[in-house]
Amino acid sequence: MSDLALVAQRHDAGDPLAGRRALFVLDDGVYLDGNSLGALARSVPGRVEDVVRRQWGALKIRSWDESGWWTAPERIGDRIAPLVGAAAGQIVVGDSTSVNVFKALVGAVRLVDDARDEILVDATTFPTDGYIAASAARLTGRTLRPVRPDEVPAALSGRTAAVLLNHVDYRTGRLYDLPSLTAAVHAAGAIAVWDLCHSAGALPVGLDEHGVDLAVGCTYKYLNGGPGSPAYLYVRGDLQDRFDSPLPGWNSHAEPFGMREAYEPAAGAARGRVGTPDILSMLALEAALEVWDGVSIDAVRTKSLALTDFFLECVREYVPEGRVESLTPVRHEERGSQVALRCSPDAGDVMKRLIGRGVVGDFRQPDVLRFGFTPLYVGFADVERAARVLAEELR
């Protein structure tokens, strides 16, 4: 056994989160793709069976009341809230991240005066956010201006209506400074909208603490909600009575069963709803979130940094010099919970070979190997094995 394998054993023996691994369905491989799709929580299949057979099969429409279907979007939102540093009553679950980005960005523009005619968007963003920002700009008569997150403070002006930023860069794993960027946006009189897809469930966010206006995120990555599980929308409490969603639906009406001709938004986070909730996937998500009971997000962050530090150490020790280059920041305050390695010219083939040997990460064009570290079920022995197998494939 190598020295690093022994180090991994010691780390795993002292890991306070090690017991959480048993709550997931895992095989003998190393799963480092939780930044794309989290592993299945053991509680989910039984819960889904109950939803299908008893709640839907037996109770049928009665389950909207008797099984709590109607209140699920806000109830599950309140379960997510502590993981992103929000008080209850500010998060509603439903729709996709894309739909929620649209609601949040158009809603943000509607919160400021018409003289603010420019929207700033993260130039390095996941493509969908850019597409939606461009559409929101066209629909609201604003100009869209792509800027890198570190360029935002200099780009802000009295023209800025809203700024859409990613908390963690999906390619490199770089973590951006949410507190200081939010403060800069507010100092300019604009609205801050954050995409938390690659940070929620991996590190502290502090939405309330840092005064974030609006935020969105998916639930199928570090929150392990399952493929296509519903996303969420955060609207800060003091903005809720002014939040004007561009997608008003019967489900967000103050009297949803009144079938009124005129729209009157519901109070609170519920005005972020649109149509009928997707109950099957929503209740699967609710079951998946039980793995977080009793878990401190600070403890998750501590382990995440230790895992990524150890992986980088193992890569330096095992991988032939010059074969890969880390794109992920070394400084903890700039690092999310993934490591991106540039591997030219054969990154795609390398990842296929890794997956064939039971080490699952993913490949991003043109030359990036991505490895996501989910602290609830990834251990240090996994990390050492992944780096060792990578080195064997690159020799």
Side-chain angles (χ1 to χ4, degrees), residues 65-323:
D65 290 323
E66 295 180 27
S67 300
W69 289 1
W70 185 258
T71 59
E74 292 77 36
R75 183 178 72 243
I76 301 171
D78 285 346
R79 293 209 68 152
I80 293 172
L83 302 178
V84 292
Q90 299 176 103
I91 293 179
V92 63
V93 172
D95 305 310
S96 66
T97 305
S98 303
V99 172
N100 283 319
V101 169
F102 178 76
K103 287 188 281 188
L105 197 52
V106 175
V109 171
R110 291 176 174 179
L111 286 169
V112 300
D113 63 68
D114 291 340
R116 293 182 173 271
D117 62 355
E118 187 174 76
I119 297 172
L120 302 185
V121 64
D122 184 345
T124 64
T125 189
F126 188 76
T128 292
D129 284 20
Y131 305 155
I132 290 173
S135 178
R138 291 193 302 273
L139 287 168
T140 59
R142 264 62 176 186
T143 300
L144 185 67
R145 184 180 172 192
V147 296
R148 296 181 63 84
D150 51 9
E151 298 171 341
V152 165
L156 291 163
S157 72
R159 294 182 56 193
T160 309
V163 183
L164 173 61
L165 292 167
N166 286 265
H167 197 192
V168 173
D169 186 292
Y170 79 99
R171 294 183 191 86
T172 66
R174 179 176 178 181
L175 171 67
Y176 289 104
D177 190 342
L178 180 148
S180 69
L181 288 172
T182 300
V185 171
H186 288 168
I191 302 295
V193 182
W194 284 91
D195 183 328
L196 309 178
C197 285
H198 286 270
S199 58
L203 52 91
V205 177
L207 292 178
D208 287 354
E209 178 185 359
H210 304 302
V212 169
D213 302 300
L214 302 160
V216 302
C218 66
T219 61
Y220 46 78
K221 301 182 189 296
Y222 297 106
L223 298 181
N224 312 297
S229 56
Y232 57 90
L233 170 68
Y234 164 89
V235 182
R236 200 178 70 217
D238 63 324
L239 296 178
Q240 290 176 357
D241 62 349
R242 295 193 291 126
F243 179 70
D244 182 8
S245 173
L247 294 174
W250 78 279
N251 232 248
S252 63
H253 197 285
E255 295 183 69
F257 294 99
M259 304 303 166
R260 309 294 185 196
E261 182 177 341
Y263 179 74
E264 179 185 347
R271 67 175 56 198
R273 290 187 181 210
V274 182
T276 305
D278 41 353
I279 291 298
L280 298 183
S281 59
M282 191 169 290
L283 297 186
L285 166 63
E286 185 172 33
L289 290 171
E290 292 173 1
V291 302
W292 292 95
D293 290 347
V295 174
S296 159
I297 196 66
D298 291 322
V300 169
R301 176 60 168 166
T302 297
K303 183 178 177 182
S304 166
L305 291 171
L307 288 169
T308 51
D309 278 342
F310 188 56
F311 182 68
L312 290 169
E313 179 184 358
C314 291
V315 168
R316 287 193 298 269
E317 179 70 21
Y318 292 157
V319 174
E321 187 174 355
R323 194 63 178 86

Side-chain angles (χ1 to χ4, degrees), residues 355-371:
I355 292 172
R357 294 187 60 183
V359 176
V360 180
D362 65 23
F363 162 65
R364 287 292 180 267
Q365 293 282 1
D367 56 5
V368 176
L369 304 173
R370 287 197 325 172
F371 301 94

